[in-house]
Amino acid sequence: MNATSSGYRSLLIASGLMLPAFVLLIAILWVCNGQLMYTLDDPYIHLELARHLQHLHYGINDADYAAPSSSILWPFLLTPFAGWSYFVTLPLIINLACLFATLLLLVRLMHDLSVFQATLMATVTALSLNLYGVVFTGMEHSLQVLLAVAAGVLINAHSRDRLARGATLLLYVCLLLLPFVRYEGLAISVPMLAYLACHGQIRRAALTLAGLVIGLAGFSLFLHQLGLGYLPSSILAKSPPGAWTIYNNIKTNLEHYGWLIAFLLPFLGLSVYRDDRPLALAIGAAVLLQGVFGQVGWLGRYEIYLLAFLTPFLIDRVIRTRPQLIYVCVLAPLAFFSLLWVTLFTPLAASNIYNQQARLATIAAKLQAPVAVNDLGLISFRTDAYVLDLWGLGSLTALRERQAEQADAGWMDRLMRRHGVEYAFIYPGWFRRLPDNFIKIADLTLDELRVSAAGSQVSIFARDETHADILRRHLRAYLAHHRSPDYAITFIEAPQTNVAGAAP
């Protein structure tokens, strides 16, 4: 088959493999009453941050600086389009484009297979790695996966002396960009740069490494200059430095992927080791770095960058050395069932956000007053008032206070008074204690399977009786026009209870 025919074939197969993504999109629109809803609250943090970046402000509230994004690059990619009427669809558009490019790269690896075999193997890979589901998180992970797969394809070609001269630059671009998309990209970039240096590309590898160090250090100094420390609050909130975090990372990685380390990696490692010993060591280093410093899960997105990077090596070895295993690969989704499960339940995950955070955002917008939260995204994106993030992604002060919390929750009340906040929509179980003056008005409860919401129940508080009465009126007015069997609002201090709450 000539190059042109092979290229057309790959385009055709990759285009067909986009069908599941559009099926998921239609399902999301169906369960969310025609609204595009992402499967996490977090992408709306990036969208709101991008809006402020357009006005040269790094933060969520005009009054404060904040570093709520774990990605350096992603909010800046969104910023030029922040004024667009369909801005909320931009992460989906970018992610669909990244998905298509990823599928195309994978299919081109299978040029020696029949159309049926290539389609089967690519479909199994996409389902096993949650490539479809991660698109609808609205986060930077589809871009991260694309860069990881591209790096894997190019490194594999380099190890077999089949890397085109012009593709070398693309390889270094991928290795440079990966940590700026997400910090854990360092687990791939650093070992692979060391590998390339071992193969005589010392100058290029050193320049790329210098670019990484200068860029990451420069961003840290930028944050420090704003009074935000040296790392984004989102990283410090989810992965506080310390031995416990490392222990927990190792434990969860082994629980989820111990079988991979025991069975699949030895096959891949030995196969690569026979051909290219430094590459086998670099791949092992990447796996080790993820195992020690990387997290797992949270809607099947944290670890898939490394699985995606390993995939081109595995596909190439299977096709070249064990072609009889091609049909056995159809069982891969069962081995990666936790990721397949996320893909299958993507519409319900979007429904969770629709029936919880989107409804709370509508209530907050009607209040037209500052509100305290611990899920920052949709509420900040859909309201103009001040939003105090008690969990700390949008407020380094709150993060430090929460992590230093001892016997009382006075810090919450102090921060709320400082910012004129009289209402709080929070998961109470996330905090050791709540202020004594908090008046609980109601609970908003999901009446559907919880997939992506951080909790099934959000409690709604006011700080005094005057604001409690205002909040009750707004909640009743909301319920009068927004009823659905998928959620309920239970009033604590009102005669009507278990009031079932259509579109936010």
Side-chain angles (χ1 to χ4, degrees):
M1 184 183 299
N2 61 44
T4 302
S5 298
S6 178
Y8 283 135
R9 189 189 87 146
S10 298
L11 282 170
L12 184 62
I13 295 174
S15 298
L17 291 173
M18 291 295 291
L19 180 61
F22 293 108
V23 170
L24 288 176
L25 176 58
I26 292 170
I28 288 171
L29 294 173
W30 178 266
V31 300
C32 298
N33 288 324
Q35 291 191 37
L36 171 63
M37 195 63 54
Y38 294 112
T39 56
L40 290 168
D41 185 67
D42 295 17
Y44 301 97
I45 299 175
H46 294 143
L47 290 167
E48 185 63 15
L49 179 58
R51 280 177 173 174
H52 284 80
L53 282 171
Q54 197 173 52
H55 300 287
L56 304 180
H57 177 79
Y58 201 79
I60 296 297
N61 298 295
D62 292 337
D64 302 323
Y65 293 114
S69 172
S70 299
S71 172
I72 297 173
L73 185 60
W74 188 250
F76 289 95
L77 288 178
L78 303 177
T79 297
F81 306 94
W84 185 32
S85 300
Y86 300 98
F87 179 49
V88 72
T89 67
L90 183 61
L92 176 62
I93 294 170
I94 295 174
N95 285 353
L96 287 171
C98 290
L99 173 63
F100 179 76
T102 300
L103 292 171
L104 187 60
L105 284 172
L106 292 174
V107 170
R108 288 184 66 85
L109 279 175
M110 307 170 194
H111 57 84
D112 290 333
L113 302 181
S114 69
V115 171
F116 174 77
Q117 289 175 324
T119 303
L120 176 65
M121 202 166 186
T123 302
V124 165
T125 301
L127 290 173
S128 300
L129 300 186
N130 188 34
L131 299 189
Y132 296 116
V134 80
V135 166
F136 297 97
T137 63
M139 304 282 280
E140 65 277 4
H141 299 276
S142 290
L143 175 58
Q144 182 190 32
V145 165
L146 171 60
L147 293 172
V149 168
V153 168
L154 294 169
I155 288 283
N156 185 63
H158 178 277
S159 71
R160 299 180 60 198
D161 296 320
R162 292 189 175 186
L163 185 63
R165 183 173 300 177
T168 303
L169 176 60
L170 180 59
L171 170 57
Y172 282 102
V173 169
C174 290
L175 296 178
L176 179 65
L177 289 179
L178 269 167
F180 291 98
V181 175
R182 285 188 67 86
Y183 281 87
E184 59 257 42
L186 287 166
I188 293 175
S189 296
V190 172
M192 294 307 134
L193 288 173
Y195 162 73
L196 292 168
C198 289
H199 276 259
Q201 299 190 28
I202 297 175
R203 183 172 176 272
R204 290 175 176 174
L207 286 174
T208 306
L209 182 61
L212 280 176
V213 172
I214 292 170
L216 295 175
F219 183 72
S220 291
L221 290 174
F222 165 72
L223 294 182
H224 182 71
Q225 186 67 24
L226 297 179
L228 299 173
Y230 291 100
L231 287 172
S233 299
S234 54
I235 293 178
L236 297 174
K238 298 173 184 177
S239 303
W244 172 252
T245 296
I246 292 176
Y247 167 77
N248 194 53
N249 289 341
I250 295 172
K251 179 174 176 289
T252 53
N253 274 283
L254 287 175
E255 287 174 348
H256 284 80
Y257 296 105
W259 65 269
L260 183 69
I261 297 171
F263 299 105
L264 196 56
L265 281 180
F267 163 74
L268 177 61
L270 290 173
S271 177
V272 174
Y273 190 83
R274 285 194 293 265
D275 299 333
D276 192 336
R277 186 178 302 180
L279 178 57
L281 295 175
I283 289 175
V287 172
L288 180 63
L289 288 170
Q290 162 62 26
V292 174
F293 299 106
Q295 292 185 316
V296 171
W298 202 238
L299 220 60
R301 59 194 177 98
Y302 285 147
E303 71 273 24
I304 61 171
Y305 78 100
L306 184 63
L307 297 175
F309 174 70
L310 297 176
T311 296
F313 300 101
L314 188 60
I315 290 175
D316 179 64
R317 265 61 188 183
V318 167
I319 292 174
R320 286 196 297 117
T321 65
R322 296 287 192 275
Q324 65 272 23
L325 294 179
I326 290 172
Y327 292 105
V328 177
C329 291
V330 74
L331 299 176
L334 299 179
F336 294 93
F337 185 75
S338 61
L339 297 177
L340 174 64
W341 182 89
V342 173
T343 298
L344 297 178
F345 281 84
T346 289
L348 187 54
S351 180
N352 284 181
I353 302 304
Y354 175 75
N355 283 305
Q356 187 181 89
Q357 295 305 319
R359 296 188 184 280
L360 291 170
T362 301
I363 294 167
K366 294 291 185 182
L367 277 171
Q368 296 182 332
V371 62
V373 300
N374 58 336
D375 245 0
L376 179 63
L378 258 169
I379 293 179
S380 64
F381 185 67
R382 290 189 174 180
T383 61
D384 296 324
Y386 187 91
V387 179
L388 174 62
D389 180 14
L390 294 174
W391 193 245
L393 273 68
S395 169
L396 183 60
T397 302
L399 174 62
R400 287 171 173 168
E401 291 277 10
R402 176 178 64 80
Q403 291 180 337
E405 178 185 355
Q406 298 299 325
D408 66 80
W411 66 272
M412 286 191 201
D413 194 54
R414 288 194 300 272
L415 283 180
M416 290 177 71
R417 279 190 286 107
R418 183 187 307 168
H419 295 287
V421 178
E422 301 293 342
Y423 309 105
F425 303 167
I426 59 175
Y427 303 113
W430 283 27
F431 302 97
R432 298 174 190 171
R433 290 192 60 183
L434 299 176
D436 293 335
N437 62 332
F438 266 28
I439 302 171
K440 188 173 182 179
I441 309 302
D443 290 317
L444 187 151
T445 306
L446 284 175
D447 282 342
E448 60 185 11
L449 178 67
R450 182 172 68 89
V451 177
S452 62
S456 294
Q457 189 174 87
V458 176
S459 295
I460 301 172
F461 297 91
R463 289 184 61 247
D464 57 46
E465 282 294 348
T466 300
H467 292 93
D469 290 339
I470 295 172
L471 190 50
R472 289 189 190 99
R473 289 199 301 271
H474 277 88
L475 287 172
R476 292 194 181 101
Y478 178 82
L479 279 172
H481 298 93
H482 304 85
R483 294 187 178 274
S484 169
D486 298 323
Y487 83 104
I489 290 181
T490 305
F491 285 95
I492 304 303
E493 297 180 344
Q496 56 264 60
T497 60
N498 293 317
V499 184

